[in-house]
Structure formats: C-alpha cells, structure tokens
C-alpha cells in the first residue's frame, strides 16, 4: 500500500514535468527550424557578398589596366607630337 501511495505521489509530480518537457521539446524543434532557415539565408547572403567582392576586384583590376593604358597612350601621343614638330623643319630641307 505504501508503494502505491508513493507511486501516486511521484506520478503526480512527474506528470506536469513530462508535459513541460514535451512542450519545451516542441518549442525547441520550432526554434531549430527557424534557426536553420536563418542560417540558410545568411549563407546565401554571404555567397552573394563573396560574388560581389570578386566582381569588384575584377572591375578594379580592369580600371587600373585602362588607366595604365590611357597613361601610356598619352605618353605616346606626346612623343609623336614632339617627333612631328621636330620633323616639321626637315620638310623644308628635303624640298631644297
């Protein structure tokens, strides 16, 4: 009889705890699903950022190449003008 009374008392203490555990596990599952969704979203954003960084680096390299080419073209143009100016006096000599 004592065992039955003790079992009844323990069962009454354990039952609310079991219900609370089931509720907490259910909430944990929902929160973990939400976390997984957020982590996937974060992964996608980070992948996009990495893609944009790669594009930025490629664009900056292309910009530098174009700036170098423009500088080289300016130098060549200046030299060509100097050559033409220097050869302008030679045309008179050649005709004579």
């Amino acid at each position: 009889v004592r065992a039955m009374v003790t079992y009844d008392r323990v069962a009454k203490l354990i039952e609310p705890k079991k219900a609370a555990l089931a509720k907490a596990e259910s909430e944990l599952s929902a929160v973990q699903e939400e976390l997984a969704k957020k982590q996937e979203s974060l992964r996608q954003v980070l992948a996009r950022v990495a893609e944009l960084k790669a594009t930025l680096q490629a664009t900056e390299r292309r910009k530098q190449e174009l700036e170098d080419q423009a500088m080289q073209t300016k130098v060549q143009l200046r030299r060509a003008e100097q050559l033409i100016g220097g050869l302008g006096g030679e045309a008179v000599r050649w005709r004579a």
Side-chain angles (χ1 to χ4, degrees), residues 35-83:
L35 175 62
K37 289 178 186 177
K38 297 293 182 181
Q39 286 176 334
E40 175 61 22
S41 176
L42 175 62
R43 187 195 62 76
Q44 290 176 354
V45 168
L46 291 175
R48 179 70 176 141
V49 167
E51 179 184 323
L52 289 173
K53 282 184 179 180
T55 302
L56 174 64
Q57 289 176 351
T59 303
E60 286 177 342
R61 268 193 311 273
R62 179 69 177 141
K63 176 188 168 204
Q64 187 61 45
E65 289 171 2
L66 291 173
E67 286 176 349
D68 293 345
Q69 185 179 3
M71 184 58 71
Q72 184 180 7
T73 303
K74 286 179 183 178
V75 168
Q76 288 175 342
L77 180 61
R78 191 173 337 116
R79 288 180 183 163
E81 288 172 350
Q82 289 173 351
L83 183 62

